[in-house]
Amino acid sequence: CYKSREQELITEYQYENNTCRDGDPESFETWNACLRRQSIVLDLTNHGYCWGNDTQAEYQKSWQKCS
């Protein structure tokens, strides 16, 4: 089970990722979402989380504790 802060980061990542991927590429808001997403990735990594594992297809991946 995720700890509280990690769950918050994952929720923030999902929001910023959706905005980054689905937003207008000319929009300042979209670019900011992409930058915030990258910052959250660093935070999650520093908390010991990984984006899936090497044996998973991209669509199967989710944030999980690194093994």
Side-chain angles (χ1 to χ4, degrees):
C1 187
Y2 297 118
K3 294 179 183 175
S4 172
R5 180 61 187 143
E6 286 86 355
Q7 185 58 55
E8 288 176 12
L9 286 170
I10 290 168
T11 300
E12 290 173 22
Y13 171 85
Q14 291 167 338
Y15 175 81
E16 300 298 357
N17 187 53
N18 288 339
T19 303
C20 179
R21 293 180 70 194
D22 299 334
D24 177 358
E26 302 294 322
S27 167
F28 186 69
E29 182 180 334
T30 301
W31 283 94
N32 276 334
C34 297
L35 292 173
R36 286 189 299 268
R37 178 185 65 179
Q38 286 308 109
S39 176
I40 294 166
V41 166
L42 290 175
D43 285 346
L44 283 165
T45 302
N46 288 336
H47 279 88
Y49 280 76
C50 296
W51 179 245
N53 63 55
D54 293 340
T55 63
Q56 293 176 302
E58 192 64 29
Y59 76 92
Q60 295 172 316
K61 293 182 179 182
S62 63
W63 286 105
Q64 55 191 331
K65 246 344 199 174
C66 298
S67 52

